[in-house]
Each structure stands twice: as C-alpha cells, then as structure tokens.
Amino acid sequence: MSSEVVLFAPLPVLTVTIEEQGGEPDIHLHAGSQGVWQARMLVTLGAPVTMCSVLGGESGTVLRHLIEDEGVTVRAVQGTGHNGAYVHDRRDGDRQEIAEAPATPLTRHELDELYGLTLSAGIDAGAVVLSGPSDQHTQHDAVPPDAYRRLAADLRAVGRPVIADLAGERLAAVLAGGVTVLKVSHEELLEDGRITDTDQDSIVKAMHTLQDEGADNVVVTRADEPLLLLAGDTVSEVRMPRLQAADSHGAGDSLTAGVAATLAKGGSLDEAVRLGAAAGMLNVTRHGLGTGDVEAVLKLRELVTVTALGSSARGSSAKVTPQDLAERARGS
C-alpha cells in the first residue's frame, strides 16, 4: 500500500476573482471546491495526491490544467455537461458575487464511471478522502448522497482508511457506509439538527451518536474553541496557539488534509490530528485557501496538545493520558 491520498472530488469549480493591484483590476483564475483545497494542502505536506472528478465543458478544460499545475494527479471522467464557475469581485475588500453558473448534474453513466475510477484508485492508496461538490447545499442533485454510502462501504471492505468531511444528507449517507474518521464543524451539527446548543456536553453527545451511526473516530471543529476528538470511548480536547486570522475559509479542509496525509503513511490518529490542527492553524493566517508552508506546519505541530477528558457521557470520567489515546487510535 502506498502513501498516496485519493480524493473523491466529483465536481470542482472554476473561480474568477477580481482584485485590485496598483489601482487596476487584477483578475485571477483558480480551481476551487472542498476537494481542491484539501488537495492543495496535501501537496504542501508532501503527500502524493490523485483527484477523481468529472470535468466537462470549457470550465472543465481549464480546471484540468489548473489542478495539474498544482502538482495533483487528475483522473477524470469526461462530462457531457460543464463544471460550475463563479466570478467574485474583491476590490473593496469583501467578496461580492458577480455571477455564478452551477455545475450540470451527473448522468448515471458519468456517476458509474467516476465511482469505478475512484474505487480502482482507492484500492492502491494509503487513504481516501470523500469530499462534497463545490456547494453541498445548492448542488443537492449534482451527486446523489447514496453514492457516498456505497463508496465508503466498498473502500472499507477492501481495507482502506476513509476520511469524510461532509454535511447534511451526504453526511448521513457516508455514516451508513462507515468511515474511519469523520470531520464536521459545530455549525454543520447545528444546521443538521444534531445539536441545539453549542455547549461541550451537547457536542460530545452528538459525537457519540455519530460514532454509533458509523464513524470510528470523530473530529469536531468549534471555530475559535479547541477541537474535540472522539476515539474509542475517549473524548479529548485539541488545543493550539491562537494566531491572528486573515481568512478562516479552508481551515477545516487543511485539517482534513493533515489527517489524511498522516493516516496514509500509517501514522496514528493522535499524530494525524496534531498535523491537521497545525495545517488548519496556519491556513487561517493566509488568504489562499488550503495554502501553507510545510516547515511552518511542522513547527506548529509541536505546539498542538491533545488532552484526554475521559470516557465522557458513556461511563466513568477516569482520565486517560495522551499516550493511552495514541495507543487506542492505532488499534481503531
């Protein structure tokens, strides 16, 4: 098994951003979507990355070149439609949407091809990340949720670690298939109705429910609060220095990338969460989504602490050391 990470990123999006440089418009073209941002950080961390997507139309042609230029191997199905695209104006400092063209929903044939392509690549990989379309909320019909359930189940059946960063119906579907690590934010738990309060006890209870539904391990991000990790029956708090934020977008995707890169190399969950937290921490200091410097990430990793809170909500509150947690994670 290689240390390669395979990304299921079904429909990346083409982004056109207008900024200002020296009093003149400065236009940038980039590939976007959750999977692209995760891939970008994986490349930064030195992990070999293969992205499995559907690319179609003029936007798809441009996207292939942009993604490959970032050092990502692209395995794509030729779509009969087109990928999504949007134009944003940031000349006044805020994002103003000028126009957005949603992606064409996948045909049954395209979805079957993408499924087979991802499964084939995943069998040879060290870990597989399942990410959503460019907008998981507005593109409900672009990729049916059940595709995530089947893909997670089949990848687990062939012994591959599966990391998922999804919300809504796709989250429920991937849990039914089973995942090694589920990453979710407290905002997504609120939006999905899995919690009604953001206090720690409510979140921990929801994490146990997610585990019962099919996640071996659960990571919950809480904006400026420490991350929470559930491994086995042990809940831990993941703390890191609070750096000055330039843009928090993409921090969760960088976290997911760090977890995937470590697990693909056979590292423990404790090591994976530390690297992921460091990658996410550095990302918020930058304007580029999923960007960072590997040397800085590795230095910040040494400042991340994982403190076990005990077997919260499911038994005794006996304390467990970080070493105990790491041993449990290796066995999960």
Side-chain angles (χ1 to χ4, degrees), residues 89-207:
D89 191 337
R90 293 183 54 178
R91 282 176 289 181
D92 64 356
D94 297 321
R95 295 175 188 266
Q96 179 184 355
E97 183 177 299
I98 304 300
E100 179 175 9
T104 305
L106 302 186
T107 66
R108 185 175 64 179
H109 176 69
E110 290 166 350
L111 183 59
D112 285 347
E113 278 199 69
L114 178 61
Y115 192 96
L117 184 152
T118 305
L119 183 60
S120 176
I123 288 172
D124 297 325
V128 181
V129 177
L130 303 182
S131 66
S134 55
D135 189 325
Q136 297 191 50
H137 302 288
T138 63
Q139 295 195 26
H140 173 79
D141 296 327
V143 183
D146 193 59
Y148 287 90
R149 178 194 62 80
R150 295 189 296 114
L151 195 51
D154 287 347
L155 288 166
R156 296 267 287 181
V158 297
R160 291 299 167 263
V162 176
I163 300 98
D165 186 353
L166 299 163
E169 291 185 46
R170 294 186 177 93
L171 168 58
V174 82
L175 287 172
V179 293
T180 309
V181 179
L182 173 69
K183 178 264 169 187
V184 65
S185 71
H186 79 282
E187 293 100 334
E188 290 166 333
L189 293 177
L190 273 171
E191 188 170 343
D192 289 348
R194 290 182 174 272
I195 58 174
T196 56
D197 197 305
T198 58
D199 67 278
Q200 183 166 292
D201 287 344
S202 297
I203 293 175
V204 168
K205 184 178 179 180
M207 293 170 76

